[in-house]
Amino acid sequence: MNEFDAASFLAHALAFETEAAERYADLADTMETHNNAEVAELFRRMANFSRMHADAVKGRAAGTELPHFKPWEFQWKEAEGPEVAPVERTHYLMTPYHCLQLALHNERRGRDFYLDVSAASADAEVKRLADQMAEEEQDHVLVLEAWLARTPEPQPDWDQDLDPPTVAD
């Protein structure tokens, strides 16, 4: 990971929170299409949380001109930002338990991104911002862990569908 200045760090944080909100909204739409209303609503809530996190980053960046990066210029460990839900970890019959597990996975990756930036940075402002944001992500992790603990685990056959959707040619 290259060294960040405060503006490029905030641009990264804003990008992955914004992309996370967009992905969660897309997943909510997909779940609605498959009549999985409960999970659709949960994904909408996750999208709203990500939008609030993006707004918080915008607040921190007020008065700072953020650089614009091309998609391949972002410094992610994976193809997408740390809080962007991987589509391959979803299923049209997934349950709220699965949704919360996915959100928890994403929040942990976001926290770890901030911790990695803080550990690697020699810039005092970047360290301060990254530490602050890692602490916030850890708070999100704790909330999701508690929420997940109150959510029933799915039955072993949760993904069986006797009449699965098909695509006509």
Side-chain angles (χ1 to χ4, degrees):
M1 183 176 299
N2 294 331
E3 180 73 20
F4 286 106
D5 61 17
S8 63
F9 170 70
L10 290 167
H12 276 70
L14 181 59
F16 80 67
E17 291 291 359
T18 301
E19 289 173 12
E22 291 169 358
R23 177 64 53 81
Y24 282 135
D26 289 345
L27 291 171
D29 291 345
T30 299
M31 293 301 143
E32 280 182 7
T33 298
H34 290 286
N35 298 311
N36 192 341
E38 188 176 15
V39 173
E41 177 55 31
L42 201 44
F43 274 132
R44 292 224 185 281
R45 289 180 74 180
M46 296 304 145
N48 286 334
F49 291 144
S50 291
R51 283 186 203 98
M52 289 188 304
H53 301 163
D55 288 343
V57 174
K58 288 176 189 174
R60 285 185 169 101
T64 303
E65 186 173 335
L66 300 183
H68 295 280
F69 293 100
K70 295 175 179 126
W72 58 87
E73 294 175 329
F74 284 103
Q75 297 181 50
W76 313 132
K77 289 182 179 179
E78 298 177 24
E80 296 180 297
E83 288 195 22
V84 178
V87 174
E88 62 274 9
R89 292 193 58 183
T90 63
H91 189 282
Y92 70 99
L93 295 176
M94 69 191 298
T95 68
Y97 188 85
H98 297 115
C99 182
L100 292 170
Q101 280 185 318
L102 182 61
L104 178 59
H105 171 77
N106 297 337
E107 292 297 321
R108 286 177 175 155
R109 289 188 326 162
R111 176 202 58 204
D112 294 347
F113 171 79
Y114 292 136
L115 290 173
D116 290 348
V117 168
S118 176
S121 185
D123 184 307
E125 179 63 5
V126 170
K127 277 182 113 38
R128 183 186 71 74
L129 287 167
D131 287 340
Q132 195 176 61
M133 294 165 98
E135 188 175 314
E136 290 170 7
E137 294 300 330
Q138 179 59 27
D139 290 343
H140 303 157
V141 164
L142 295 174
V143 167
L144 285 166
E145 286 174 342
W147 194 352
L148 190 59
R150 295 186 309 271
T151 303
E153 289 190 41
Q155 297 296 318
D157 61 349
W158 66 268
D159 61 345
Q160 290 188 2
D161 188 348
L162 298 178
D163 188 20
T166 58
V167 177
D169 288 331

